[in-house]
């Protein structure tokens, strides 16, 4: 997937695409507007990818090591870590191969590079789709644990969790294969954008409902202790801040990438949209950053997992 819409990055390197540079640049066409282009150094991109790989490998290792973490909730978190791991590995691999081809260190025929590019693109697309799916699955799991607390363990059983996990992986592989095979069709891009919007709406609705229930519960406790103002207000502000950070990071990291896809459909030839297309590497970098942040939001907040992580590291 390339910075100029649906074209491919590896094939672009064969056609003389220049590597990323480490500075802000004003790119100007002779007939178009001046564009602010944020170029990401390849070293920074690769470093962020490696940090994400290490973090998510540690999360998966900690969950695998501690039997107390062998529950549906942690399995979903572990699968999210695997998805983020694949996002980072696939993007790092594509960038590394692209640099090798551009430098002449990797001599290969265009057909071979095309096949390699297809494989990497399927991996990138599939890992992104699965990552979004598991973010939604974690939100649904938490929602059920709050609103159906007494029935949660009978609703979210291990067999059902494994079936959901298997369905997500199979759907991600199949959909990514179709997306890459028909990448130049408008319907494909619209499906990807619609999927992102659906996940964003799902997470927003579920987490806002959970926050409202938590504030209602806090008000009930306050009334019992005759402190009607202090506890609900403080709890509500803290919960609202947490919700804003969670959804804000999700939208900030994933939104620009899907904005890029939307503009490819809406205005592929417009000069202003062309300015957005020039920052595609920045959008991929934000997704890598999301893979770095996810463990802190969903995994490292667990005391049990942090304790196991210390054992794994030491």
């Amino acid at each position: 997937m390339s910075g100029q819409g649906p074209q491919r990055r590896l094939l672009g390197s064969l056609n003389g695409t220049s590597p990323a540079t480490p500075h802000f640049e004003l790119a100007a066409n002779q007939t178009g507007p001046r564009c602010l282009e944020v170029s990401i150094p390849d070293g920074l991109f690769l470093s962020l990818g490696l940090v994400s790989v290490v973090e998510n490998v540690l999360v998966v290792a900690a969950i695998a090591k501690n039997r107390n973490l062998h529950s549906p909730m942690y399995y979903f978190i572990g699968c999210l870590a695997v998805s983020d791991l694949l996002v980072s590995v696939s993007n790092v691999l594509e960038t590394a191969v692209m640099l090798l081809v551009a430098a002449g260190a990797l001599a290969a025929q265009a057909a071979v590079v095309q096949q390699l590019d297809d494989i990497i693109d399927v991996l990138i697309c599939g890992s992104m789709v699965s990552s979004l799916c598991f973010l939604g699955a974690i939100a649904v799991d938490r929602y059920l644990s709050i609103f159906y607390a007494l029935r949660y363990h009978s609703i979210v059983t291990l067999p059902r969790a494994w079936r959901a996990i298997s369905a997500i992986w199979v759907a991600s592989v199949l959909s990514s294969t179709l997306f890459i095979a028909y990448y130049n069709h408008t319907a494909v891009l619209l499906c990807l954008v619609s999927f992102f919007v659906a996940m964003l709406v799902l997470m927003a609705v579920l987490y806002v409902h959970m926050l409202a229930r938590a504030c209602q519960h806090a008000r009930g406790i306050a009334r019992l202790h005759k402190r009607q103002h202090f506890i609900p207000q403080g709890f509500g502000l803290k919960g609202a801040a947490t919700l804003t950070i969670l959804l804000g990071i999700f939208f900030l990291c994933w939104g620009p990438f899907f904005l890029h896809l939307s503009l490819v459909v809406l205005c592929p030839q417009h000069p202003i949209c062309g300015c957005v297309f020039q920052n595609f590497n920045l959008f991929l970098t934000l997704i890598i950053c999301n893979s770095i942040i996810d463990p802190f939001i969903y995994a490292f907040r667990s005391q049990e997992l942090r304790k196991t992580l210390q054992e794994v590291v030491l």
Side-chain angles (χ1 to χ4, degrees):
M1 305 178 76
S2 83
Q4 303 299 329
Q7 294 99 359
R8 308 303 180 83
R9 296 175 66 198
L10 289 181
L11 292 181
S13 67
L14 286 179
N15 296 327
T17 301
S18 60
T21 56
H23 303 292
F24 289 86
E25 296 179 356
L26 284 175
N29 297 326
Q30 294 180 352
T31 59
R34 293 175 64 84
C35 303
L36 178 63
E37 180 181 357
V38 184
S39 297
I40 306 299
D42 294 316
L44 175 61
F45 187 84
L46 294 173
S47 299
L48 291 174
L50 292 177
V51 170
S52 173
V53 169
V54 172
E55 274 190 9
N56 288 286
V57 165
L58 290 176
V59 171
V60 174
I63 293 175
K65 177 180 175 60
N66 191 341
R67 290 185 175 273
N68 293 332
L69 302 179
H70 293 182
S71 65
M73 178 182 70
Y74 285 104
Y75 283 146
F76 288 134
I77 293 175
C79 288
L80 174 63
V82 173
S83 298
D84 288 342
L85 174 66
L86 292 176
V87 168
S88 302
V89 168
S90 54
N91 277 286
V92 167
L93 179 61
E94 184 181 41
T95 302
V97 173
M98 181 181 66
L99 292 174
L100 291 174
V101 171
L106 182 63
Q109 297 180 353
V112 175
V113 176
Q114 173 73 67
Q115 293 176 354
L116 179 61
D117 188 43
D118 288 338
I119 294 173
I120 295 177
D121 280 346
V122 169
L123 183 59
I124 292 174
C125 186
S127 57
M128 289 181 176
V129 171
S130 62
S131 182
L132 290 173
C133 285
F134 284 116
L135 285 170
I138 291 172
V140 172
D141 178 75
R142 292 184 173 181
Y143 182 86
L144 293 174
S145 68
I146 292 176
F147 286 89
Y148 300 92
L150 297 179
R151 298 171 50 202
Y152 171 77
H153 292 290
S154 62
I155 296 175
V156 186
T157 61
L158 277 178
R160 287 177 179 174
W162 280 119
R163 285 197 293 269
I165 290 171
S166 301
I168 289 174
W169 283 117
V170 171
S172 298
V173 173
L174 292 178
S175 61
S176 62
T177 303
L178 292 175
F179 289 157
I180 299 304
Y182 300 98
Y183 69 92
N184 56 346
H185 288 69
T186 301
V188 170
L189 300 181
L190 289 177
C191 286
L192 282 171
V193 174
S194 300
F195 174 68
F196 166 73
V197 173
M199 286 295 104
L200 178 61
V201 171
L202 174 66
M203 292 176 62
V205 169
L206 293 182
Y207 283 120
V208 168
H209 198 187
M210 284 187 276
L211 175 61
R213 170 59 67 90
C215 291
Q216 181 183 7
H217 182 67
R219 284 194 295 269
I221 295 176
R223 283 193 294 269
L224 290 176
H225 293 82
K226 296 182 180 180
R227 290 182 292 172
Q228 286 83 355
H229 300 287
F230 177 74
I231 293 181
Q233 184 179 5
F235 184 86
L237 290 176
K238 182 179 178 181
T242 302
L243 179 62
T244 301
I245 292 173
L246 190 150
L247 294 179
I249 289 176
F250 176 81
F251 184 78
L252 177 64
C253 293
W254 286 97
F257 174 79
F258 286 95
L259 172 63
H260 173 96
L261 296 185
S262 301
L263 295 181
V264 170
V265 176
L266 297 175
C267 53
Q269 303 299 328
H270 197 281
I272 296 179
C273 296
C275 292
V276 177
F277 299 153
Q278 292 176 9
N279 290 286
F280 185 78
N281 284 336
L282 173 63
F283 306 154
L284 285 182
T285 304
L286 289 175
I287 292 178
I288 298 294
C289 291
N290 183 79
S291 300
I292 296 175
I293 297 171
D294 275 347
F296 291 97
I297 296 177
Y298 298 100
F300 296 154
R301 296 174 65 184
S302 167
Q303 183 177 359
E304 182 79 17
L305 193 144
R306 289 201 306 269
K307 180 180 178 181
T308 307
L309 190 61
Q310 291 176 355
E311 296 175 359
V312 171
V313 173
L314 297 177

